[in-house]
Amino acid sequence: MSLTDKGVALLEQLRRQIESKDAIVGVIGLGYVGLPVAATFAGAGFSVIGVDIKPERVRQINKGQNPIGGQEPGLAELLATAVSSGRLRATDDYRELSAADVVLIDVETPVDESHRPRYLALRSACEALAGVMKKGALVVVESTVAPGTIDRVVRPLLEKYSGRKSADEFFVGACPERVMPGKLLRNLRTMSRVCGGETPEVAQLMVTFYRHIVEAELDSADPVTAEVVKTTENAYRDVQIAFANEVALICEAVGADIWQVRDLVNKVPYRHMHLPGAGVGGHCIPKDPWLLASAAGEAMPARLIPEARAVNDGMPHHVAQLTLEALRARGLGATEARVAVLGYAYLENSDDDRNSPSQSLVRRLKEEGLSVAIHDPWIEAYQGDLQDIIAGRDGVVIMVAHKEYLNLDLQELGRAFRTPLVVDGRHVLDKEQVEAAGLAYRGIGIGQ
Ligand code: SAJ
């Protein structure tokens, strides 16, 4: 792909507007990615139009109120200033994007039950934008998409519904986000990013644009490279976690301790075993490997990535199995057992429960007939008193390494239980200490 003469002229005009911060920035999708991005560019001195389909969210933002849950340092203040200064305005009317020189797309890009990308939101955003898009505009997809999406979905939709040609009368690229709940603004500022432009000049202009808010490295590339990098960095993590989980299961079978094994393996140069555990949750790691795998050709389908997903998705069921076996060893059948699950979020010290392994575990234990209580100090619905929750129960299943669980009073735990059993899904407790306190211990990766 190369710029036409008209494209060269329009890109040069856009570069000057970006350098002087006169460029108007549009952001489509004001969620946990789009809203921090919109507020950050407004804070950097740009005029920003945020578009979201939820009128209530638009109203909240225009009152300077932060609709994002959780603890996001600095976001509420940045948003309030961006709105009160008049630099950021939210709307549900796409027509207001006709004034935007740069449009960032931050909509959800989930996969369906068959793990195929579902681009309903992305497609409708592209079609609606194309109908109002300004000549010479730069469109950047920040959402995580499968490799090839810019070339096969985004650009064709923008061209079809605008009647314009990319690299001629508009420009397109991908710059995948790398935010993380709890660190939205910090990651936005400090994480490097890949600027995948449809031509080298467009990629360079994206670098110039993001330099206004990113302190870290900005690497130029083409769109498909940016798409592969983002989905690969998360698929890499998922496969590494799956490997640690598989070795943990082998350790259980042979009577070894995965935590001792892992420490000794990681002493060897270039070995970095990840942490085995009760499963892999969140909004990125369970989804992005499927986006990457979906791009594999028919002739060479991805095998390792789907298998790693299966191993990780199997971990909550393994925790259920450990629990059932331990209860049976104490003469307790599933239907008479009462357990407490500690931790419902997908990540330690977080209130985010998206795709959390605990959801699979609780469903499985209930299907087996157990009575299940849930505790999670970070999630309002489950914040009860821990002692009250576990009183009279036949054990606890620890699913998240929240800081509140790191120093449980084992003696007190022992007194509260009807049957003293700890199933440790995150290596929060020490087997010897638990057993010294008179409780039975089962842990992922720790053979009996
Ligand atoms: N987990 C393990 N073992 C590990 C690491 C994680 O079982 O060794 C589990 C966690 O308990 C959790 C899930 O995997 O259930 C995901 O954990 P995560 O630490 O990867 O946290 P995420 O999902 O928020 O991942 C994000 C990703 N960042 C972006 O997509 C921008 C990921 O690429 C980052 O590596 C991660 O944050 C991070 O730690 O920064």
Side-chain angles (χ1 to χ4, degrees):
M1 180 68 74
S2 59
L3 294 173
T4 62
D5 292 345
K6 190 191 301 184
V8 169
L10 286 170
L11 201 69
E12 177 50 25
Q13 181 184 327
L14 182 53
R15 190 183 59 75
R16 284 197 300 275
Q17 289 175 295
I18 287 174
E19 287 186 340
S20 63
K21 299 187 192 179
D22 292 325
I24 293 176
V25 179
V27 179
I28 301 176
L30 298 177
Y32 71 88
V33 180
L35 187 63
V37 169
T40 302
F41 272 109
F46 285 88
S47 178
V48 182
I49 304 166
V51 174
D52 199 288
I53 55 172
K54 299 187 188 95
E56 180 44 40
R57 177 168 290 235
V58 168
R59 265 194 295 280
Q60 257 187 304
I61 290 168
N62 284 334
K63 285 190 283 191
Q65 292 167 2
N66 173 23
I68 307 282
Q71 296 171 359
E72 294 298 344
L75 180 57
E77 299 80 357
L78 185 67
L79 174 62
T81 307
V83 173
S84 59
S85 67
R87 287 200 185 286
L88 170 58
R89 187 167 45 77
T91 175
D92 59 0
D93 182 352
Y94 265 88
R95 284 171 302 182
E96 301 207 31
L97 288 177
S98 59
D101 301 295
V102 180
V103 182
L104 309 180
I105 300 182
D106 285 304
V107 297
E108 62 158 12
T109 51
V111 292
D112 62 20
E113 296 70 39
S114 319
H115 311 306
R116 281 192 298 264
R118 267 188 46 212
Y119 290 150
L120 298 180
L122 181 65
R123 288 178 178 281
S124 57
C126 289
E127 288 171 27
L129 169 62
V132 299
M133 186 168 66
K134 181 179 195 177
K135 189 158 96 173
L138 167 62
V139 181
V140 180
V141 175
E142 295 194 320
S143 304
T144 304
V145 292
T149 300
I150 293 292
D151 291 335
R152 289 204 294 270
V153 176
V154 175
R155 177 192 289 110
L157 283 174
L158 292 174
E159 291 187 334
K160 176 180 178 188
Y161 289 94
S162 71
R164 295 194 169 119
K165 280 289 175 206
S166 85
D168 177 48
E169 289 194 324
F170 73 90
F171 313 101
V172 68
C175 184
E177 49 81 12
R178 284 179 168 156
V179 297
M180 184 181 173
K183 311 174 188 170
L184 294 181
L185 290 186
R186 192 178 80 191
N187 277 23
L188 202 48
R189 195 178 66 254
T190 63
M191 295 282 280
S192 68
R193 294 184 74 165
V194 178
C195 295
E198 60 177 326
T199 74
E201 302 87 351
V202 174
Q204 194 48 50
L205 182 59
M206 291 168 66
V207 169
T208 304
F209 176 66
Y210 280 99
R211 182 52 66 215
H212 285 292
I213 67 164
V214 176
E215 294 160 5
E217 276 191 282
L218 292 166
D219 296 299
S220 294
D222 61 21
V224 72
T225 300
E227 293 164 332
V228 173
V229 166
K230 170 62 189 184
T231 49
T232 296
E233 69 196 39
N234 283 347
Y236 168 87
R237 190 163 174 81
D238 198 50
V239 167
Q240 289 295 334
I241 295 169
F243 178 77
N245 283 333
E246 184 136 277
V247 174
L249 297 177
I250 293 168
C251 284
E252 285 182 32
V254 298
D257 177 330
I258 181 64
W259 304 101
Q260 183 187 14
V261 165
R262 178 175 175 271
D263 284 347
L264 296 173
V265 165
N266 284 350
K267 283 187 174 181
V268 178
Y270 313 115
R271 278 21 174 223
H272 310 287
M273 266 185 86
H274 279 40
L275 300 169
V280 173
H283 48 289
C284 304
I285 310 298
K287 167 178 71 90
D288 295 356
W290 291 118
L291 291 174
L292 178 60
S294 73
E298 295 293 313
M300 300 174 293
R303 291 165 32 213
L304 182 61
I305 294 168
E307 279 306 319
R309 286 275 69 239
V311 168
N312 289 337
D313 280 352
M315 294 313 287
H317 298 282
H318 181 65
V319 172
Q321 215 43 49
L322 285 179
T323 305
L324 292 165
E325 284 162 12
L327 289 166
R328 253 197 304 279
R330 264 144 210 78
L332 268 173
T335 53
E336 51 194 328
R338 300 156 30 86
V339 298
V341 170
L342 305 193
Y344 201 72
Y346 85 86
L347 198 64
E348 56 275 10
N349 310 325
S350 163
D351 68 344
D352 193 334
D353 66 356
R354 280 176 287 187
N355 301 313
S356 75
S358 300
Q359 292 173 43
S360 306
L361 173 82
V362 167
R363 207 170 24 248
R364 174 71 192 283
L365 291 179
K366 287 186 171 173
E367 282 166 4
E368 297 284 344
L370 280 83
S371 155
V372 181
I374 300 169
H375 180 267
D376 191 310
W378 291 76
I379 298 180
E380 199 170 331
Y382 303 121
Q383 278 170 340
D385 177 82
L386 182 57
Q387 288 307 326
D388 292 348
I389 297 260
I390 61 177
R393 292 205 171 256
D394 302 307
V396 288
V397 184
I398 303 173
M399 292 292 285
V400 186
H402 286 321
K403 60 183 176 18
E404 291 81 358
Y405 299 144
L406 301 184
N407 302 301
L408 291 173
D409 180 334
L410 298 171
Q411 307 298 341
E412 208 172 321
L413 267 184
R415 283 193 295 276
F417 284 141
R418 183 173 76 169
T419 311
L421 166 64
V422 171
V423 179
D424 192 352
R426 295 287 180 196
H427 199 226
V428 162
L429 300 174
D430 177 89
K431 179 172 187 285
E432 280 64 40
Q433 287 176 9
V434 171
E435 290 176 341
L439 295 96
Y441 181 92
R442 285 284 189 285
I444 283 191
I446 298 179
Q448 289 305 309

